[in-house]
Amino acid sequence: MSLTIGQTIKKLRKERNFTQEELAEQLNITAQAVSKWENETGMPDISQIVPIASVFGISADVLFGTYGVNDDDEVQKIIENAYRLTGDTVESKKRVYDELQNGLRRYPNNIILLVNSLERGIALSYPENGPEHYDEIHGEEIYQECIRQANLIISYAKNAGDVLRAHMIMVLLHSAYGEIEKAWEHANKFPGRPDFTIHNMCGYISHAEKNYSAEAYHLQNDFSYHLTAIFDDVILLGEAYRRMRKYDEALKMFFSVFSFMELVFGDEKVMPPVQNTDSGDVYALIAKTYIEMGDAENALSWLKKMVDYDIDIRSQFKDDMYVETPLLRDVKYNFYSKLEDNKKRLSSKLNRTEFDCLKNNDRFTSLLNRANDMDD
């Protein structure tokens, strides 16, 4: 059943954490007028419809009874049309985001649209994403909109994964923008144990059903996600030690990634590129650590290993290559899919500012040339 205009205004106001007085101030009217609308003892004048819609960031038709109505086909079309605009530049990624915002003006509480918008929002507003993703001009504005959208997802999403992802994005963004207390509020919503996952739960059910092949499948899926998290944690721990100038401890952490890779993937024909995580490529992080230690020779040796690996795996990679290890065999998790745009990524890693001190070194120039000569 559609909401009345007054009910819609009240719902939108509360979702945006406005008081009646704050909404009235933005509309240049009295709080008593807002109260009358919400209590349905009065109606907005037709001239006020567009300003009200503008304050809430919605289309005017939402105020006339479409609020809360989800047209799944139309929403899916909005998402598909938005992603057709995607490209390599920040500007093209912003166009995708803007198209999703247009969809949300028509369907302001659609969880699917909100989840997609939030994912695009963090890509554009998180400074540590780097210049290929971060929108320096609109980043802070998008961050503020991400807060609103995350709160809606947390309040209305039925999928626990969507809720926790919204909390996670708020931890990252609030931390990046110096809102540490708010970041802690979201962080404290997470469980202390890492095994509260859908695959872990499905594994228990499959075990009870004596469907052991399904149990193995779900446990392998669970392991694949834990594995990614472990690598990321170890790398972040190494980076924490590096920033504390505890270089020996940092190197131990980084080296342990390769030991763990060998333990898990020792039977593979080609070691998958799991050392190249969102936190950085371990080869490059080791080189960076050696540079801070004043050891350019070891830094160059590890950069050479990085280039050798990327070129070698590019030459052997096939689209149908999946891991064979028993820990992941049934999952068909395509770790190798991370090799898209490998040439561009390798050049980007070598051209990071921390390696500027090596640019006059012949060995480093040779590595750059090898990266640039890699087959597209």
Side-chain angles (χ1 to χ4, degrees):
M1 181 178 178
S2 298
L3 301 179
T4 66
I5 290 180
Q7 290 170 331
T8 298
I9 290 173
K10 184 176 183 179
K11 194 171 181 67
L12 288 166
R13 176 180 63 77
K14 288 189 173 182
E15 287 170 356
R16 285 149 179 78
N17 293 317
F18 293 161
T19 64
Q20 289 183 340
E21 289 75 14
E22 288 169 336
L23 177 59
E25 183 178 351
Q26 293 195 56
L27 295 171
N28 197 28
I29 59 175
T30 66
Q32 288 77 11
V34 175
S35 178
K36 286 181 179 180
W37 298 345
E38 295 184 358
N39 292 326
E40 300 184 60
T41 58
M43 288 277 288
D45 186 87
I46 192 67
S47 64
Q48 294 169 319
I49 296 300
V50 172
I52 293 170
S54 178
V55 167
F56 289 134
I58 60 173
S59 60
D61 61 338
V62 172
L63 295 172
F64 292 100
T66 64
Y67 184 80
V69 177
N70 293 336
D71 186 327
D72 291 340
D73 290 340
E74 183 64 23
V75 165
Q76 192 58 43
K77 188 182 297 184
I78 290 168
I79 293 171
E80 290 173 1
N81 289 339
Y83 282 105
R84 288 194 186 101
L85 302 173
T86 195
D88 292 333
T89 66
V90 171
E91 290 75 17
S92 66
K93 292 166 185 174
K94 177 65 162 51
R95 285 196 294 271
V96 176
Y97 177 79
D98 288 341
E99 192 67 18
L100 293 171
Q101 303 321 297
N102 289 335
L104 281 166
R105 290 185 182 93
R106 187 171 177 187
Y107 301 98
N109 266 19
N110 185 277
I111 294 299
I112 298 173
L113 273 172
L114 285 167
V115 168
N116 277 271
S117 177
L118 189 60
E119 292 295 343
R120 303 304 296 193
I122 187 176
L124 290 163
S125 62
Y126 189 48
E128 294 195 24
N129 281 338
E132 292 182 2
H133 300 282
Y134 176 59
D135 188 334
E136 190 172 350
I137 297 173
H138 303 99
E140 189 157 358
E141 173 189 336
I142 295 172
Y143 159 55
Q144 295 299 329
E145 184 61 18
C146 283
I147 295 173
R148 187 187 72 79
Q149 293 177 359
N151 286 333
L152 288 173
I153 292 169
I154 291 165
S155 297
Y156 294 105
K158 295 180 180 179
N159 185 295
D162 290 339
V163 173
L164 288 176
R165 176 60 177 163
H167 281 303
M168 178 182 177
I169 288 173
M170 286 297 93
V171 170
L172 294 174
L173 289 180
H174 282 318
S175 297
Y177 285 87
E179 297 286 352
I180 303 302
E181 186 174 339
K182 292 178 181 177
W184 276 115
E185 289 175 9
H186 287 278
N188 286 326
K189 301 295 183 181
F190 283 82
R193 290 174 53 172
D195 56 342
F196 294 155
T197 68
I198 183 172
H199 288 296
N200 185 264
M201 298 298 103
C202 289
Y204 281 115
I205 296 170
S206 298
H207 180 82
E209 294 175 329
K210 294 184 170 51
N211 187 348
Y212 302 120
S213 61
E215 180 183 11
Y217 171 77
H218 287 298
L219 292 176
Q220 287 180 55
N221 264 296
D222 200 42
F223 178 76
S224 70
Y225 287 105
H226 283 303
L227 182 65
T228 302
I230 287 170
F231 280 128
D232 205 45
D233 279 351
V234 171
I235 292 169
L236 287 171
L237 181 56
E239 279 287 82
Y241 281 131
R242 181 189 61 78
R243 291 186 176 96
M244 290 187 286
R245 295 187 174 84
K246 296 182 177 181
Y247 296 123
D248 289 341
E249 288 88 341
L251 290 172
K252 285 179 183 177
M253 291 299 101
F254 296 142
F255 294 154
S256 71
V257 170
F258 297 106
S259 300
F260 196 19
M261 286 172 60
E262 183 64 32
L263 178 67
V264 177
F265 298 106
D267 296 331
E268 301 300 317
K269 292 178 290 185
V270 181
M271 198 75 76
V274 289
Q275 85 288 343
N276 194 3
T277 71
D278 291 341
S279 303
D281 188 318
V282 179
Y283 289 112
L285 294 174
I286 292 173
K288 181 178 180 179
T289 304
Y290 275 122
I291 284 174
E292 291 187 14
M293 295 170 69
D295 189 344
E297 289 303 306
N298 261 322
L300 285 163
S301 295
W302 278 93
L303 288 177
K304 180 180 182 300
K305 290 180 182 180
M306 180 179 75
V307 173
D308 289 343
Y309 174 86
D310 279 11
I311 291 176
D312 180 57
I313 199 170
R314 175 66 171 263
S315 68
Q316 299 188 58
F317 172 70
K318 290 181 172 44
D319 290 337
D320 59 351
M321 185 181 290
Y322 294 93
V323 297
E324 297 292 335
T325 173
L327 285 164
L328 294 164
R329 182 176 294 150
D330 298 327
V331 175
K332 298 298 182 185
Y333 186 94
N334 195 351
F335 283 101
Y336 298 92
S337 64
K338 293 183 179 180
L339 290 171
E340 296 174 2
D341 299 322
N342 203 38
K343 177 178 179 178
K344 181 178 179 181
R345 184 181 295 123
L346 179 57
S347 295
S348 176
K349 288 185 290 189
L350 288 170
N351 282 295
R352 292 185 67 86
T353 55
E354 54 259 36
F355 302 132
D356 284 350
C357 60
L358 301 174
K359 287 190 173 177
N360 293 326
N361 187 290
D362 290 341
R363 288 175 63 191
F364 187 76
T365 302
S366 175
L367 294 177
L368 279 173
N369 290 337
R370 289 180 63 200
N372 293 329
D373 291 340
M374 186 189 297
D375 292 335
D376 290 319

